[in-house]
Amino acid sequence: MAGAASEALDGLYVYGIVQADANLPDDLVGVEGRPVSALAEGTVAALVTELSPGDEFGTPDGLLAHTNVLDTASRSVAVLPMTFGTVVPSAEELTEEVLSPRQAEFSEALRTVEGAVQFTVRARYLRDVALAAMIAGNPEIARLREAISGTSEDETRNERIRLGELIVATFDRMRPTDAESIREALSPFARDVVHREAGQAEDIVELALLVPRERQSEFENAVESIAKDMHEEISFRLVGPQAPYDFVNGD
Amino acid sequence: MSTTTARRSQGSYVDRPSSSSLADVIEIILDKGLVIDAYVRVSLVGIEILTIDARIVIASVDTYLRFAEATNRLDLAAQGGKDLPELMEGLTESGTRGKIGGAVDSVKDALTPDDSDKEKQREESS
């Protein structure tokens, strides 16, 4: 890359922090399709890409490149993800203002994620199965369903809202037990677990799990097993292995 | 990136993307990670709004109406329509089998992975 463009606005895009002696994969492709290199200071190093003026970042492609670099690196080395969109003006500034003063802190954090990867498990009720069970099990839900049948939304707006409220309340009552079962089944395989709140009424739980690499197969089998047990009512989505996004302090 | 161990046999009960989609990435990683305040320079083009959509818990009137409408469609399915396109193709529940029990059964049948449609139709038409 032509280093001559350095007079103006270019800088370094920073993906994350690794150990200085980390043996990085050599095929990392960064933002804007550019190469990724490690800038070391003492015991730690930053994964960076040199930017040029006019580079576009903050785009969906940039976000995918950011995760791809971190996820690929995390398969073989310990890595602390930076938040997406971190750009420093120069290598000197990165070294002096960030790496050097925070070396001990980064080293400690790297130890906590060493040898492990993150998986994210999302469990969600199969909506129509759940609704059918609610209709069968709750006379008021069944009655309201009959009441709105063949009507327009305007004609039975109040009944519809009441019906929807009952359904959401039923999901709210069902959720804690199922969330706990899922957590209990999977957490034994993880070094650490972060429980995220459900986003939608039919979401049961989203768990981020820090799984040691040597337990990855066991963990995957455990997900498969609980998904099989619950498949008539609940769908499971598993994303990973990824870098430990949920297990670094975002202070 | 292509070294994922993600590929599973077809009999898997887990939905497992072989590589992260933008939606997954946004949901999982956006706003995570170490922050060095002074250096977060990038404004997120077109991403912020998507995030809000994906994350916010919407227990609003819209949600209620959506669920009500979903029960309405479930009702249609039990009476012989085939109006659950996102769940199943070719669900051809006959209308003769009562309401609630039939609805539960048909939905479950349709969701059983190894249940072929042909078998189901034969069974139900007898």
Side-chain angles (χ1 to χ4, degrees), chain A residues 58 81 83-85 87 93 127-129 136 149 160 199 206 216 220 224 228 236-238 240 246 249, chain B residues 5 8 12-13 15-17 24 27 29 32 34 39 41-42 44-45 57 65 69 75 84 86 100 107 111:
Chain A
T83 195
F84 173 62
V87 177
E93 195 159 339
R127 188 194 65 188
D128 288 353
V129 175
S149 176
R160 283 164 185 264
E206 199 171 290
Q216 185 176 327
E220 288 165 337
E224 186 64 37
K228 185 180 180 194
F236 282 76
R237 186 167 173 83
L238 175 63
D246 281 80
N249 296 322
Chain B
T5 50
R8 284 285 172 129
S12 177
Y13 291 95
D15 168 22
R16 192 162 181 194
D24 283 326
E27 219 177 296
I29 79 122
K32 304 271 173 59
L34 293 168
Y39 296 110
R41 299 231 165 143
V42 173
L44 305 169
V45 182
V57 180
L65 292 174
E69 187 54 33
D75 186 50
L84 295 166
E86 76 273 39
I100 292 151
V107 170
L111 290 168

Side-chain angles (χ1 to χ4, degrees), chain B residues 5-110:
Chain B
T5 50
R7 216 129 303 202
R8 284 285 172 129
S9 67
Q10 291 197 323
S12 177
Y13 291 95
V14 180
D15 168 22
R16 192 162 181 194
S18 55
S19 65
S20 307
S21 67
L22 185 62
D24 283 326
V25 168
I26 287 170
E27 219 177 296
I28 293 170
I29 79 122
L30 199 63
D31 81 16
K32 304 271 173 59
L34 293 168
V35 177
I36 310 166
D37 288 331
Y39 296 110
V40 181
R41 299 231 165 143
V42 173
S43 60
L44 305 169
V45 182
I47 291 178
E48 210 91 47
I49 293 159
L50 282 172
T51 317
I52 290 163
D53 275 356
R55 287 266 177 83
I56 284 195
V57 180
I58 313 156
S60 64
V61 168
D62 279 351
T63 310
Y64 301 146
L65 292 174
R66 185 166 60 80
F67 279 121
E69 187 54 33
T71 65
N72 212 1
R73 289 204 288 151
L74 208 56
D75 186 50
L76 289 177
Q79 293 175 16
K82 30 177 170 181
D83 203 7
L84 295 166
E86 76 273 39
L87 244 194
M88 65 211 77
E89 289 178 30
L91 165 62
T92 54
E93 172 67 283
S94 72
T96 57
R97 246 216 286 170
K99 294 165 190 175
I100 292 151
V104 176
D105 287 345
S106 66
V107 170
K108 285 190 174 176
D109 284 351

Side-chain angles (χ1 to χ4, degrees), chain A residues 8 32 34 38 50 59 68 89 111 122 137 179 189 196 212 215 227 230 248:
Chain A
E32 299 281 298
R34 296 183 194 280
E50 287 185 40
T59 61
N68 194 33
R111 271 192 292 278
R122 190 197 64 202
F189 303 94
R196 301 200 206 128
R215 305 204 71 182
M230 295 179 152
V248 295

